[in-house]
Amino acid sequence: MSEAAWTTDDMGDLTGRTAVVTGPTVGGLGFHTALELARHGARVVLAGRTTAKLDAAAEEITAQVPHAALDTLVVDLSDLSSVRAAGEAAGELGPIHLLVNNAGIMASPFRRTVDGLESQMATNHFGPFLLTGLLLDQLVASGDGRVVTLSSQMHRLARSAPLGDPRARRRYSRWMVYGQTKLANLLFTLELDRRLRRAGLPVLALAAHPGLAGTHLVVNGQMRGIEQRGAAILDAAVKAVSQSAAAGAWPTLMAATADLPGGTYVGPGGPGQASGRPRVVGTAPLARDEMAQRRLWETSEETVGLTWP
């Protein structure tokens, strides 16, 4: 099988495997990721901010996969205390084979969280960083763990890695910060995989991006006020082709289930990586800066109060 030919038929039987998927709101990328994992037999833990949204997602998945094995986990990734509580609650799940760090927010107005962090960086990076660290022992216990973190083509918008004091006041450009959060997702993934290999732990870290999916805010007309560089990237993707949220989940599913090495980045294989069958893709040079990877990791440990692995 070539990478370009990958489909969900290649996922195989996932019976006996437990997967945690953050941000499974009905209709979104996380929902379609969870749906396909459940369809292929995995026990899926839906992790999101409210019980109402989690129950709605579970109901819709069960309607399509009547015998789906589902659990729920309440977690607000923008609130570090909520993440810690979720990490403790997740202890009852037993070994975890897969963690999909899918949840995130995009180009939101400036807001500080209860922890004094900018909300995009808190939700898209620091929360997932802490959650992954808290679940690491359970991923190791599976004997074959995998962490898949969602990035974006918008990581190419970032002009620098987010290495400064995350609580410092600075000029806020919502699209540039969004790009930095997506760069952070890749820096985190590559550093995590290197540390896991160095420690000899049976866990892989990979990343994926959905291309231009139907849930993308650009599709919903949210381009007003975007900086010129960001607009150019997104406009090119819009002109190429958009795809459904279900198709947008395919790179994540390939990263989660295909026989790939740690540190792999998966995205759509079509023009501009906007759509198409998933394949292994490249990153911007900034994402491969090992010094930036290490410095972001150290800053993240200090910020969330957890040193790992």
Side-chain angles (χ1 to χ4, degrees):
M1 179 195 74
S2 67
E3 292 167 0
W6 191 93
T7 74
T8 53
D9 292 338
D10 297 307
M11 291 172 61
D13 183 5
L14 302 178
T15 301
R17 300 181 72 82
T18 295
V20 177
V21 181
T22 67
T25 302
V26 174
L29 296 169
F31 170 80
H32 286 285
T33 299
L35 174 64
E36 286 302 319
L37 291 169
R39 198 190 308 278
H40 285 77
R43 172 198 184 196
V44 181
V45 182
L46 306 171
R49 287 183 297 175
T50 68
T51 55
K53 286 188 175 183
L54 294 175
D55 290 346
E59 182 178 353
E60 183 61 29
I61 290 173
T62 302
Q64 299 188 49
V65 185
H67 301 296
L70 303 174
D71 286 291
T72 59
L73 180 68
V74 175
V75 58
D76 179 353
L77 291 168
S78 72
D79 182 342
L80 297 179
S81 65
S82 174
V83 178
R84 293 187 191 98
E88 183 174 352
E92 299 180 0
L93 298 173
I96 295 171
H97 299 82
L98 172 65
L99 169 61
V100 179
N101 289 317
N102 165 82
I105 58 176
M106 181 179 183
S108 56
F110 180 80
R111 179 179 69 84
R112 287 202 180 273
T113 69
V114 294
D115 303 292
L117 301 168
E118 185 279 317
S119 62
Q120 288 195 85
M121 195 62 71
T123 306
N124 297 359
H125 171 64
F126 289 117
F129 178 90
L130 177 58
L131 182 64
T132 306
L134 293 171
L135 299 185
L136 180 62
D137 286 347
Q138 288 165 268
L139 287 160
V140 171
S142 75
D144 182 25
R146 191 172 296 206
V147 178
V148 178
T149 300
L150 263 69
S151 183
S152 164
Q153 279 285 70
M154 289 294 285
H155 84 274
R156 300 177 184 278
L157 180 65
R159 295 171 180 168
S160 62
L163 303 178
D165 179 354
R167 294 185 174 86
R169 294 187 177 275
R170 56 177 60 86
R171 182 178 178 181
Y172 182 70
S173 169
R174 59 181 183 161
W175 284 101
M176 293 299 289
V177 170
Y178 177 71
Q180 284 193 314
T181 70
K182 297 292 98 180
L183 174 61
N185 294 149
L186 289 169
L187 294 169
F188 161 64
T189 296
L190 295 172
E191 180 68 11
L192 172 58
D193 193 69
R194 180 165 45 252
R195 287 172 179 251
L196 291 168
R197 284 187 281 110
R198 185 184 304 146
L201 298 176
V203 181
L204 299 177
L206 300 89
H209 81 82
L212 185 63
T215 59
H216 202 294
L217 294 184
V218 177
V219 177
N220 297 320
Q222 301 297 315
M223 288 187 70
R224 288 178 295 180
I226 185 173
E227 286 83 2
Q228 185 175 356
R229 288 184 67 218
I233 293 171
L234 292 174
D235 186 56
V238 170
K239 288 178 179 177
V241 64
S242 61
Q243 61 183 347
S244 67
W250 278 29
T252 301
L253 292 165
M254 179 177 171
T257 62
D259 183 12
L260 296 168
T264 299
Y265 187 35
V266 181
Q273 297 178 31
S275 64
R277 296 274 183 91
R279 62 178 177 85
V280 175
V281 297
T283 71
L286 271 176
R288 301 189 296 273
D289 183 335
E290 293 190 10
M291 181 176 293
Q293 294 164 11
R294 184 177 65 254
R295 288 179 58 193
L296 177 63
W297 186 281
E298 293 168 352
T299 296
S300 301
E301 287 183 327
E302 182 178 352
T303 300
V304 306
L306 179 69
T307 299
W308 63 285

